[in-house]
Amino acid sequence: MNILCVCGNGIGTSVLLKINTESVASDLGMDVTVTTSDAGSAKGTANMSDLVLTSAELAPELEGTTTPVEVVANFMDTDEIKTILEKYSD
């Protein structure tokens, strides 16, 4: 599964979300590739992913993509990330 983590600039909080997503996915036994992006580029690259994780503030910018967009309220909350990933694990 390819997961895209999106934040405003693509280098700060999205990297924290990426690290936590990789950790949670590993715990769940999921095979994932996690990448990061800034909000401006994300709409163009979102369709190449299976799932997009972002904040509530940025989610509206990704409307119209064919990829599911999930809002993460707290990028450091691994339990929240786990709840989201469990919906997509096979």
Side-chain angles (χ1 to χ4, degrees):
M1 168 179 262
N2 293 314
I3 301 173
L4 179 64
C5 297
V6 179
C7 74
N9 292 321
I11 55 172
T13 52
S14 63
V15 173
L16 295 173
L17 180 57
K18 175 186 188 289
I19 292 166
N20 287 329
T21 299
E22 288 171 334
S23 175
V24 169
S26 177
D27 291 346
L28 293 172
M30 296 176 70
D31 182 20
V32 299
T33 300
V34 185
T35 56
T36 62
S37 177
D38 63 278
S41 302
K43 190 164 187 175
T45 58
N47 291 331
M48 294 183 279
S49 299
D50 301 305
L51 176 64
V52 176
L53 301 177
T54 192
S55 65
E57 296 80 17
L58 297 177
E61 294 185 35
L62 298 166
E63 288 179 5
T65 64
T66 57
T67 303
V69 176
E70 293 281 350
V71 171
V72 180
N74 180 349
F75 286 10
M76 298 302 292
D77 185 350
T78 55
D79 289 333
E80 180 183 6
I81 296 166
K82 180 180 179 186
T83 299
I84 292 169
L85 292 186
E86 285 176 329
K87 294 192 288 186
Y88 297 92
S89 65
D90 294 306

Coordinates of all heavy atoms in Angstrom, one line a residue:
M1 N 0.9 -1.2 0.0 CA 0.0 0.0 0.0 C 0.9 1.2 0.0 O 1.8 1.3 0.8 CB -0.9 0.0 1.2 CG -1.6 1.3 1.5 SD -2.7 1.3 2.9 CE -4.2 1.0 2.1
N2 N 0.6 2.2 -0.9 CA 1.3 3.4 -0.9 C 0.5 4.5 -0.2 O -0.7 4.8 -0.5 CB 1.5 3.9 -2.4 CG 2.4 2.9 -3.1 OD1 3.5 2.6 -2.6 ND2 2.0 2.5 -4.3
I3 N 1.1 5.1 0.8 CA 0.5 6.1 1.6 C 1.2 7.5 1.5 O 2.4 7.5 1.6 CB 0.5 5.7 3.1 CG1 -0.3 4.4 3.3 CG2 -0.2 6.8 4.0 CD1 -0.2 3.8 4.7
L4 N 0.4 8.5 1.3 CA 1.0 9.9 1.1 C 0.6 10.7 2.4 O -0.6 10.8 2.7 CB 0.4 10.5 -0.1 CG 0.9 12.0 -0.4 CD1 2.4 12.0 -0.7 CD2 0.1 12.5 -1.6
C5 N 1.6 11.2 3.0 CA 1.4 12.1 4.2 C 1.6 13.5 3.7 O 2.6 13.9 3.2 CB 2.4 11.7 5.3 SG 2.2 10.1 6.0
V6 N 0.6 14.4 4.0 CA 0.6 15.7 3.5 C 0.6 16.8 4.6 O -0.3 16.7 5.5 CB -0.6 16.0 2.6 CG1 -0.6 17.4 2.0 CG2 -0.6 15.0 1.4
C7 N 1.5 17.8 4.5 CA 1.4 18.9 5.4 C 1.6 20.2 4.6 O 1.8 20.1 3.4 CB 2.4 18.8 6.6 SG 4.1 19.1 6.1
G8 N 1.6 21.3 5.2 CA 1.7 22.5 4.5 C 3.0 22.7 3.6 O 2.9 23.0 2.4
N9 N 4.1 22.3 4.1 CA 5.4 22.5 3.4 C 6.0 21.1 2.9 O 7.0 21.1 2.2 CB 6.4 23.2 4.2 CG 6.0 24.7 4.3 OD1 5.5 25.3 3.4 ND2 6.3 25.2 5.5
G10 N 5.5 20.0 3.4 CA 6.0 18.7 3.1 C 7.3 18.3 3.7 O 7.9 17.3 3.3
I11 N 7.8 19.1 4.7 CA 9.1 18.7 5.3 C 9.0 18.7 6.8 O 10.0 18.2 7.4 CB 10.2 19.7 4.9 CG1 9.8 21.1 5.2 CG2 10.5 19.5 3.4 CD1 10.9 22.1 4.9
G12 N 8.0 19.1 7.4 CA 7.9 19.2 8.9 C 7.0 18.1 9.5 O 7.4 17.0 9.7
T13 N 5.8 18.5 9.7 CA 4.9 17.6 10.3 C 4.5 16.3 9.5 O 4.3 15.3 10.0 CB 3.5 18.3 10.7 OG1 3.0 18.9 9.6 CG2 3.8 19.3 11.9
S14 N 4.6 16.4 8.2 CA 4.4 15.3 7.3 C 5.4 14.2 7.6 O 5.2 13.0 7.5 CB 4.3 15.6 5.9 OG 5.5 16.1 5.4
V15 N 6.7 14.6 7.9 CA 7.7 13.6 8.2 C 7.4 12.9 9.5 O 7.6 11.7 9.6 CB 9.1 14.3 8.2 CG1 10.2 13.3 8.6 CG2 9.4 14.8 6.8
L16 N 7.0 13.7 10.5 CA 6.6 13.1 11.8 C 5.4 12.1 11.5 O 5.4 10.9 12.1 CB 6.1 14.1 12.8 CG 7.2 15.1 13.2 CD1 6.6 16.2 14.1 CD2 8.3 14.4 14.0
L17 N 4.5 12.4 10.7 CA 3.3 11.5 10.4 C 3.8 10.3 9.7 O 3.4 9.2 9.9 CB 2.3 12.3 9.6 CG 1.0 11.5 9.2 CD1 0.3 10.9 10.4 CD2 0.1 12.4 8.4
K18 N 4.8 10.5 8.8 CA 5.4 9.4 8.0 C 6.0 8.4 8.9 O 5.8 7.2 8.8 CB 6.4 9.9 7.0 CG 7.2 8.9 6.2 CD 8.3 9.5 5.4 CE 8.9 8.5 4.4 NZ 9.8 7.6 5.0
I19 N 6.8 8.9 9.8 CA 7.5 8.0 10.8 C 6.5 7.2 11.6 O 6.7 6.0 11.8 CB 8.5 8.8 11.7 CG1 9.7 9.4 10.8 CG2 9.0 8.0 12.8 CD1 10.5 10.4 11.5
N20 N 5.5 7.9 12.1 CA 4.5 7.2 13.0 C 3.7 6.3 12.2 O 3.3 5.2 12.6 CB 3.7 8.2 13.7 CG 4.4 8.9 14.8 OD1 5.3 8.3 15.4 ND2 4.1 10.2 15.1
T21 N 3.4 6.6 10.9 CA 2.6 5.7 10.1 C 3.4 4.4 9.8 O 2.8 3.3 9.8 CB 2.2 6.4 8.8 OG1 1.4 7.6 9.1 CG2 1.4 5.5 7.8
E22 N 4.7 4.6 9.5 CA 5.5 3.4 9.2 C 5.6 2.5 10.4 O 5.5 1.3 10.3 CB 6.9 3.9 8.8 CG 7.0 4.5 7.4 CD 8.3 5.1 7.0 OE1 9.0 5.5 8.0 OE2 8.6 5.2 5.8
S23 N 5.7 3.1 11.6 CA 5.8 2.3 12.8 C 4.5 1.6 13.1 O 4.5 0.4 13.4 CB 6.1 3.3 14.0 OG 6.0 2.6 15.2
V24 N 3.4 2.2 12.9 CA 2.1 1.6 13.2 C 1.8 0.5 12.1 O 1.4 -0.6 12.4 CB 0.9 2.6 13.1 CG1 -0.4 2.0 13.1 CG2 1.0 3.6 14.3
A25 N 2.1 0.8 10.9 CA 1.9 -0.2 9.8 C 2.8 -1.4 10.1 O 2.3 -2.6 9.9 CB 2.3 0.4 8.4
S26 N 4.0 -1.2 10.5 CA 4.9 -2.4 10.9 C 4.2 -3.2 12.0 O 4.2 -4.4 11.9 CB 6.2 -1.9 11.3 OG 7.1 -2.9 11.7
D27 N 3.7 -2.5 13.0 CA 3.1 -3.2 14.1 C 1.9 -4.0 13.6 O 1.5 -5.1 14.2 CB 2.6 -2.3 15.2 CG 3.8 -1.7 16.0 OD1 4.9 -2.2 15.8 OD2 3.6 -0.7 16.7
L28 N 1.2 -3.5 12.6 CA 0.0 -4.2 12.0 C 0.4 -5.2 11.0 O -0.5 -5.9 10.5 CB -1.0 -3.2 11.4 CG -1.6 -2.2 12.4 CD1 -2.4 -1.1 11.6 CD2 -2.6 -3.0 13.3
G29 N 1.6 -5.3 10.7 CA 2.1 -6.3 9.6 C 1.7 -5.9 8.2 O 1.6 -6.7 7.3
M30 N 1.5 -4.6 8.0 CA 1.2 -4.0 6.7 C 2.4 -3.7 5.9 O 3.4 -3.2 6.5 CB 0.3 -2.8 6.8 CG -1.0 -3.0 7.5 SD -1.9 -1.4 7.7 CE -2.3 -1.0 6.0
D31 N 2.4 -4.0 4.6 CA 3.5 -3.7 3.7 C 3.2 -2.3 3.1 O 2.3 -2.2 2.3 CB 3.6 -4.7 2.7 CG 4.8 -4.5 1.7 OD1 5.7 -3.7 2.1 OD2 4.8 -5.0 0.6
V32 N 3.9 -1.3 3.6 CA 3.5 0.1 3.1 C 4.8 0.8 2.6 O 5.9 0.5 3.0 CB 2.9 0.9 4.2 CG1 1.6 0.3 4.6 CG2 3.8 1.2 5.4
T33 N 4.6 1.7 1.7 CA 5.6 2.7 1.3 C 5.0 4.0 1.6 O 3.9 4.4 1.1 CB 5.9 2.6 -0.2 OG1 6.4 1.3 -0.5 CG2 6.9 3.6 -0.6
V34 N 5.6 4.8 2.5 CA 5.1 6.1 2.9 C 5.9 7.2 2.4 O 7.1 7.2 2.5 CB 5.0 6.2 4.4 CG1 4.3 7.4 4.9 CG2 4.2 4.9 5.0
T35 N 5.3 8.2 1.7 CA 6.0 9.3 1.2 C 5.3 10.6 1.7 O 4.2 10.5 2.3 CB 5.9 9.4 -0.4 OG1 4.6 9.3 -0.8 CG2 6.7 8.2 -1.0
T36 N 6.0 11.7 1.6 CA 5.5 13.0 2.1 C 5.4 14.0 0.9 O 6.0 13.8 -0.1 CB 6.4 13.6 3.1 OG1 7.7 13.8 2.6 CG2 6.6 12.7 4.3
S37 N 4.5 15.0 1.2 CA 4.3 16.0 0.1 C 3.8 17.2 0.8 O 3.2 17.2 1.9 CB 3.3 15.5 -0.9 OG 3.0 16.5 -1.9
D38 N 4.1 18.4 0.1 CA 3.4 19.6 0.5 C 2.0 19.7 -0.1 O 1.7 19.0 -1.0 CB 4.3 20.8 0.0 CG 4.3 20.9 -1.5 OD1 5.2 20.2 -2.1 OD2 3.6 21.7 -2.0
A39 N 1.2 20.5 0.5 CA -0.2 20.6 0.1 C -0.3 21.0 -1.4 O -1.2 20.5 -2.0 CB -0.9 21.6 1.0
G40 N 0.5 21.9 -1.8 CA 0.4 22.3 -3.2 C 0.6 21.2 -4.2 O 0.0 21.2 -5.3
S41 N 1.6 20.3 -4.0 CA 1.9 19.2 -4.9 C 1.0 18.0 -4.7 O 0.9 17.2 -5.6 CB 3.4 18.8 -4.7 OG 4.2 19.9 -4.9
A42 N 0.4 17.9 -3.5 CA -0.3 16.7 -3.1 C -1.4 16.3 -4.0 O -1.6 15.1 -4.3 CB -0.8 16.8 -1.7
K43 N -2.2 17.3 -4.5 CA -3.3 17.0 -5.3 C -2.9 16.3 -6.6 O -3.6 15.3 -7.1 CB -4.2 18.2 -5.7 CG -5.5 17.9 -6.3 CD -6.5 19.0 -6.3 CE -7.8 18.5 -6.8 NZ -8.8 19.5 -6.7
G44 N -1.8 16.6 -7.2 CA -1.3 16.0 -8.4 C -0.7 14.6 -8.1 O -0.8 13.8 -9.0
T45 N -0.2 14.4 -7.0 CA 0.4 13.1 -6.7 C -0.5 12.1 -5.9 O -0.2 10.9 -5.8 CB 1.8 13.2 -5.9 OG1 1.5 13.9 -4.7 CG2 2.8 14.0 -6.7
A46 N -1.6 12.6 -5.3 CA -2.4 11.8 -4.5 C -3.0 10.6 -5.3 O -3.1 9.5 -4.7 CB -3.6 12.6 -3.9
N47 N -3.3 10.8 -6.5 CA -3.9 9.7 -7.3 C -2.9 8.6 -7.6 O -3.4 7.5 -8.0 CB -4.5 10.2 -8.6 CG -5.7 11.1 -8.4 OD1 -6.4 10.9 -7.5 ND2 -5.9 12.1 -9.3
M48 N -1.7 8.7 -7.3 CA -0.7 7.7 -7.4 C -0.5 6.9 -6.1 O 0.3 6.0 -6.0 CB 0.7 8.3 -7.8 CG 0.6 8.8 -9.3 SD 2.2 9.5 -9.8 CE 2.3 11.0 -9.0
S49 N -1.3 7.3 -5.1 CA -1.2 6.6 -3.8 C -2.5 5.8 -3.5 O -3.5 6.0 -4.2 CB -1.0 7.7 -2.7 OG 0.2 8.3 -2.9
D50 N -2.5 5.0 -2.5 CA -3.7 4.2 -2.1 C -4.4 4.9 -1.0 O -5.6 4.6 -0.8 CB -3.3 2.8 -1.7 CG -2.6 2.1 -2.8 OD1 -3.1 2.0 -3.9 OD2 -1.4 1.6 -2.5
L51 N -3.7 5.8 -0.3 CA -4.3 6.5 0.9 C -3.6 7.8 1.1 O -2.3 7.8 1.0 CB -4.2 5.6 2.1 CG -4.7 6.2 3.4 CD1 -6.2 6.5 3.4 CD2 -4.4 5.2 4.6
V52 N -4.3 8.8 1.5 CA -3.7 10.1 1.9 C -4.0 10.4 3.3 O -5.2 10.3 3.7 CB -4.1 11.2 0.9 CG1 -3.5 12.6 1.4 CG2 -3.8 11.0 -0.5
L53 N -3.0 10.8 4.1 CA -3.2 11.2 5.5 C -2.8 12.6 5.6 O -1.8 13.0 5.1 CB -2.3 10.4 6.4 CG -2.5 8.8 6.4 CD1 -1.6 8.2 7.4 CD2 -4.0 8.5 6.8
T54 N -3.7 13.5 6.2 CA -3.4 14.9 6.3 C -4.2 15.5 7.4 O -5.0 14.8 8.1 CB -3.7 15.6 4.9 OG1 -3.2 16.9 5.0 CG2 -5.2 15.6 4.6
S55 N -4.1 16.8 7.6 CA -4.8 17.5 8.6 C -6.2 17.9 8.1 O -6.4 18.0 6.9 CB -4.0 18.7 9.1 OG -3.9 19.6 8.0
A56 N -7.1 18.3 9.0 CA -8.4 18.8 8.7 C -8.3 20.1 7.9 O -9.1 20.3 7.0 CB -9.2 19.0 9.9
E57 N -7.3 20.9 8.1 CA -7.1 22.1 7.4 C -6.8 21.9 6.0 O -7.2 22.7 5.1 CB -6.1 23.0 8.1 CG -6.4 23.5 9.5 CD -6.1 22.4 10.6 OE1 -5.4 21.4 10.3 OE2 -6.7 22.5 11.7
L58 N -6.0 20.9 5.7 CA -5.6 20.7 4.3 C -6.4 19.7 3.5 O -6.3 19.7 2.3 CB -4.1 20.1 4.3 CG -3.1 21.1 4.9 CD1 -1.7 20.5 5.0 CD2 -3.1 22.4 4.1
A59 N -7.3 18.9 4.2 CA -8.1 17.9 3.5 C -8.9 18.5 2.3 O -9.0 17.9 1.3 CB -9.0 17.2 4.5
P60 N -9.5 19.7 2.5 CA -10.4 20.3 1.4 C -9.6 20.5 0.2 O -10.1 20.5 -0.9 CB -10.9 21.6 2.0 CG -10.9 21.4 3.5 CD -9.7 20.5 3.8
E61 N -8.3 20.8 0.3 CA -7.4 21.0 -0.9 C -7.3 19.8 -1.7 O -6.8 19.8 -2.9 CB -6.1 21.5 -0.5 CG -6.1 22.9 0.1 CD -4.7 23.5 0.4 OE1 -3.8 23.2 -0.3 OE2 -4.6 24.2 1.5
L62 N -7.6 18.6 -1.2 CA -7.4 17.3 -1.9 C -8.7 16.8 -2.4 O -8.8 15.7 -2.9 CB -6.8 16.3 -0.9 CG -5.4 16.7 -0.5 CD1 -4.9 15.9 0.7 CD2 -4.4 16.6 -1.6
E63 N -9.8 17.6 -2.3 CA -11.1 17.1 -2.9 C -11.0 16.9 -4.4 O -10.3 17.7 -5.0 CB -12.2 18.2 -2.6 CG -12.6 18.2 -1.1 CD -13.6 19.2 -0.8 OE1 -14.1 19.9 -1.7 OE2 -13.9 19.4 0.4
G64 N -11.6 15.9 -4.8 CA -11.6 15.6 -6.3 C -10.6 14.5 -6.6 O -10.5 14.1 -7.8
T65 N -9.8 14.1 -5.7 CA -8.8 13.0 -6.0 C -9.6 11.7 -5.9 O -10.6 11.6 -5.2 CB -7.6 13.0 -5.0 OG1 -8.1 12.7 -3.7 CG2 -6.9 14.3 -5.0
T66 N -9.1 10.7 -6.6 CA -9.7 9.4 -6.5 C -9.2 8.5 -5.3 O -9.8 7.5 -5.1 CB -9.5 8.6 -7.8 OG1 -8.0 8.5 -8.0 CG2 -10.1 9.3 -9.0
T67 N -8.3 9.0 -4.6 CA -7.7 8.3 -3.5 C -8.4 8.7 -2.2 O -8.7 9.9 -2.0 CB -6.2 8.7 -3.4 OG1 -5.6 8.4 -4.6 CG2 -5.5 8.0 -2.3
P68 N -8.7 7.8 -1.3 CA -9.3 8.1 0.0 C -8.3 9.1 0.8 O -7.1 8.9 0.8 CB -9.4 6.8 0.7 CG -9.2 5.8 -0.3 CD -8.4 6.3 -1.4
V69 N -8.9 10.1 1.4 CA -8.2 11.1 2.2 C -8.7 10.9 3.6 O -9.9 11.1 3.9 CB -8.4 12.5 1.7 CG1 -7.7 13.5 2.6 CG2 -7.9 12.7 0.3
E70 N -7.8 10.6 4.5 CA -8.2 10.5 5.9 C -7.5 11.7 6.7 O -6.4 12.0 6.5 CB -7.7 9.2 6.5 CG -8.4 8.0 5.9 CD -9.8 7.7 6.5 OE1 -10.1 8.4 7.6 OE2 -10.5 6.8 6.0
V71 N -8.3 12.2 7.6 CA -7.9 13.3 8.5 C -7.3 12.7 9.7 O -7.9 11.9 10.4 CB -9.0 14.3 8.8 CG1 -8.6 15.3 9.8 CG2 -9.5 15.0 7.5
V72 N -6.1 13.2 10.1 CA -5.4 12.8 11.3 C -5.4 14.1 12.2 O -4.8 15.1 11.8 CB -4.0 12.3 11.1 CG1 -3.3 11.9 12.4 CG2 -4.0 11.1 10.1
A73 N -6.1 14.1 13.3 CA -6.1 15.2 14.2 C -4.8 15.5 14.9 O -4.4 16.6 15.0 CB -7.3 15.1 15.2
N74 N -4.1 14.4 15.3 CA -2.9 14.5 16.0 C -1.9 13.6 15.4 O -1.9 12.4 15.6 CB -3.1 14.2 17.5 CG -1.8 14.3 18.3 OD1 -0.7 14.4 17.8 ND2 -2.0 14.2 19.6
F75 N -0.9 14.2 14.7 CA 0.1 13.4 13.9 C 0.9 12.5 14.8 O 1.6 11.6 14.3 CB 0.9 14.3 13.1 CG 0.3 14.9 11.8 CD1 -1.1 14.8 11.6 CD2 1.0 15.6 10.9 CE1 -1.7 15.3 10.5 CE2 0.4 16.1 9.8 CZ -0.9 16.0 9.6
M76 N 1.0 12.8 16.1 CA 1.8 12.1 17.0 C 1.0 11.0 17.7 O 1.6 10.2 18.4 CB 2.4 13.0 18.1 CG 3.3 14.1 17.5 SD 4.7 13.4 16.6 CE 5.6 12.6 17.9
D77 N -0.3 10.9 17.5 CA -1.1 9.9 18.2 C -1.2 8.6 17.4 O -1.9 8.5 16.4 CB -2.5 10.5 18.3 CG -3.5 9.6 19.1 OD1 -3.1 8.4 19.4 OD2 -4.6 10.1 19.5
T78 N -0.3 7.7 17.8 CA -0.2 6.4 17.1 C -1.5 5.6 17.2 O -1.8 4.8 16.3 CB 1.0 5.6 17.5 OG1 0.9 5.4 18.9 CG2 2.3 6.2 17.2
D79 N -2.3 5.8 18.2 CA -3.6 5.1 18.3 C -4.5 5.6 17.3 O -5.3 4.8 16.7 CB -4.2 5.2 19.7 CG -3.4 4.4 20.8 OD1 -2.8 3.4 20.4 OD2 -3.4 4.8 22.0
E80 N -4.6 6.9 17.0 CA -5.4 7.4 16.0 C -5.0 6.9 14.6 O -5.8 6.5 13.8 CB -5.3 9.0 16.1 CG -6.2 9.6 15.0 CD -6.1 11.1 15.0 OE1 -5.3 11.7 15.7 OE2 -6.9 11.7 14.2
I81 N -3.7 6.9 14.4 CA -3.2 6.4 13.1 C -3.5 4.9 12.9 O -3.9 4.5 11.9 CB -1.7 6.7 13.0 CG1 -1.4 8.2 13.0 CG2 -1.1 6.0 11.7 CD1 0.1 8.5 13.2
K82 N -3.4 4.2 14.0 CA -3.7 2.7 14.0 C -5.2 2.5 13.6 O -5.5 1.7 12.8 CB -3.4 2.1 15.3 CG -3.7 0.6 15.3 CD -3.4 0.0 16.7 CE -3.7 -1.5 16.7 NZ -3.5 -2.1 18.0
T83 N -6.1 3.3 14.2 CA -7.5 3.2 13.9 C -7.8 3.4 12.4 O -8.6 2.7 11.8 CB -8.3 4.2 14.7 OG1 -8.1 3.9 16.1 CG2 -9.8 4.1 14.4
I84 N -7.1 4.4 11.8 CA -7.2 4.7 10.4 C -6.7 3.5 9.5 O -7.4 3.0 8.6 CB -6.6 6.0 10.0 CG1 -7.3 7.2 10.7 CG2 -6.5 6.2 8.5 CD1 -6.6 8.5 10.6
L85 N -5.5 3.1 9.8 CA -4.8 2.1 9.0 C -5.6 0.8 9.1 O -5.6 0.0 8.1 CB -3.4 1.9 9.4 CG -2.4 3.1 9.1 CD1 -1.0 2.7 9.4 CD2 -2.5 3.5 7.6
E86 N -6.1 0.5 10.2 CA -6.9 -0.8 10.4 C -8.0 -0.9 9.4 O -8.4 -2.0 8.9 CB -7.4 -1.0 11.8 CG -6.3 -1.4 12.8 CD -6.8 -1.5 14.2 OE1 -7.7 -0.7 14.6 OE2 -6.2 -2.2 15.0
K87 N -8.6 0.2 9.0 CA -9.7 0.2 8.0 C -9.2 -0.2 6.6 O -10.0 -0.6 5.8 CB -10.3 1.7 7.9 CG -11.0 2.1 9.2 CD -11.9 3.3 8.9 CE -11.1 4.6 8.7 NZ -11.9 5.8 8.6
Y88 N -7.9 -0.1 6.4 CA -7.3 -0.3 5.1 C -6.5 -1.6 5.0 O -6.0 -1.9 4.0 CB -6.6 0.9 4.6 CG -7.4 2.1 4.4 CD1 -7.6 3.0 5.4 CD2 -8.1 2.3 3.2 CE1 -8.4 4.1 5.3 CE2 -9.0 3.4 3.1 CZ -9.1 4.3 4.1 OH -9.9 5.4 3.9
S89 N -6.3 -2.2 6.2 CA -5.5 -3.5 6.2 C -6.3 -4.6 5.7 O -7.5 -4.7 5.9 CB -4.9 -3.7 7.6 OG -6.0 -4.0 8.5
D90 N -5.6 -5.5 5.0 CA -6.3 -6.7 4.5 C -6.2 -7.9 5.4 O -5.2 -8.3 5.9 CB -5.7 -7.1 3.1 CG -6.0 -6.0 2.1 OD1 -7.2 -5.6 1.9 OD2 -5.1 -5.6 1.5

